[in-house]
Every structure is written in structure tokens, then in C-alpha cells.
Amino acid sequence: GSLMGCYMAMSLASKHPQRVKFMVLTNPYLWKDDAVAKAKREAESAGENMSDGQWGFLADGSHFTNVWDARKAWLSPELNTRCTLDDCTYRMKRNARYQLGVNIQPPQLFEFTDCAGRITCPVLVLFGGNAVEFFDMIGLAMTEQSKKAVASFTAVSSLHQHTIPGGSINMLNEKAAEWVAAVSEALW
């Protein structure tokens, strides 16, 4: 899994250990305690008001440029176009889910430490050097949190950690050869 995909991979590996032989996590993030507490408060206070978090459409189209601008400093125009389209599609689908009364749990509420502690298969954790710097820069303290995240895997049969220099949050797209080399090395 990559980023939030790590949560899905971890959930699967912790619930069905007989089906997972090896797990690769790319840029997994363990949310800081204050972010978890805030997400819990917001989830509790949202209650019946499912419209919280709605993505608004603006007459001048700036809702698209706002999504674009959030990543333009660290993504190539081609990759930012793909990410912007995906993000906007997700936001529109999220709005539709809210209208139906469906709310998806915020990522801050994923029980990372508990889940990691139940995983028994070998685990390779890959961090992108630029991703760690970026998360640190925006206040998410990934340097500190990555150490805590890796330390959460207390029951695995083996644990490997590798940082790919220059790897961003889109490392699978931008540093595919380096990612494959790190995975291959861990598997053999």
C-alpha cells in the first residue's frame, strides 16, 4: 500500500494473516496524537450533520485551481494533473455519499498502532526522502512519526526499512525503478 493504501494493506494483513505472505508499505503515516484527538472530536460533533466537509463548487472554477495549487510546488504538471483529477473526482463522490448519509472514517482514526501490532508477515517499509521532508515542512512531523510507525510492528517475522532519496509521496510513479529494486532486494 501507498499512503492511505497502507491502511488497507495493514488491515488486510492483520485480519487475514494466512493470506498475506509479505507486505510493502510506501510512505505509511502514523498521525500525531493531537490530530487523532481532533478527528475524534469532529467525528463525534458531526453527528447528524453529514454536510460537514462538503466540497463547494465555485462559479469561477477556482475549486479546481485550489486543488491544483495545493500540490504545484512539489509535483510535475503532468502528475499534478492526474492527482487533481483524482482528487476532484474523489471530492465529488464524497459529496454524493454525504447526500446519502454515508460518511467515510477520517484517516486519522485508523488504529495504526493496534493494527501494526497484529501483523505477523514480513514487512518492508519504504519512505521517500522528499515525502518525509514535505510532511515535516507542513507540520506533520514525519521524521518523528515514521520512527513511531516502524516501531509499531512488534509481531512481524522480519522488518526492513529503506528510504529512497528524492522519493516523493508519488514515489511509485516517479521512482518506480528504485522502488522495485528495494522491494526485490527485500524479497531475495
Side-chain angles (χ1 to χ4, degrees):
S2 179
L3 295 168
M4 286 182 56
C6 293
Y7 302 157
M8 290 180 265
M10 290 172 63
S11 182
L12 176 67
S14 70
K15 292 176 183 173
H16 304 284
Q18 72 283 3
R19 293 181 171 235
V20 180
K21 302 297 180 202
F22 190 89
M23 186 168 52
V24 178
L25 301 174
T26 304
N27 292 320
Y29 187 71
L30 172 62
W31 290 90
K32 294 178 0 182
D33 292 341
D34 60 337
V36 173
K38 179 181 177 193
K40 283 180 181 178
R41 284 190 308 274
E42 288 174 357
E44 289 168 3
S45 69
E48 299 172 12
N49 186 5
M50 297 296 284
S51 65
D52 284 1
Q54 281 279 351
W55 185 50
F57 298 100
L58 304 174
D60 64 358
S62 62
H63 53 285
F64 289 113
T65 55
N66 293 340
V67 174
W68 172 273
D69 288 345
R71 297 181 184 90
K72 73 179 180 183
W74 44 274
L75 287 183
S76 69
E78 179 184 351
L79 192 53
N80 197 11
T81 298
R82 289 174 49 195
C83 290
T84 298
L85 290 172
D86 288 347
D87 194 334
C88 291
T89 300
Y90 166 77
R91 291 167 186 250
M92 290 179 354
K93 289 180 179 180
R94 183 180 67 185
N95 283 359
R97 286 191 303 269
Y98 281 142
Q99 294 301 317
L100 297 172
V102 176
N103 189 8
I104 295 178
Q105 171 182 316
Q108 296 89 338
L109 299 183
F110 176 71
E111 297 287 344
F112 189 104
T113 304
D114 293 338
C115 188
R118 293 190 306 272
I119 295 170
T120 57
C121 68
V123 175
L124 170 62
V125 181
L126 296 172
F127 290 103
N130 288 355
V132 172
E133 289 176 17
F134 172 73
F135 280 107
D136 285 348
M137 178 185 71
I138 64 172
L140 294 178
M142 192 165 195
T143 297
E144 174 187 327
Q145 293 304 106
S146 64
K147 293 173 188 168
K148 292 178 182 178
V150 171
S152 300
F153 292 94
T154 56
V156 298
S157 56
S158 70
L159 178 63
H160 303 278
Q161 179 182 342
H162 182 74
T163 298
I164 296 178
S168 71
I169 64 169
N170 294 295
M171 190 162 45
L172 293 172
N173 292 314
E174 296 177 338
K175 297 285 186 179
E178 294 90 337
W179 187 92
V180 168
V183 172
S184 297
E185 183 179 322
L187 288 172
W188 307 117

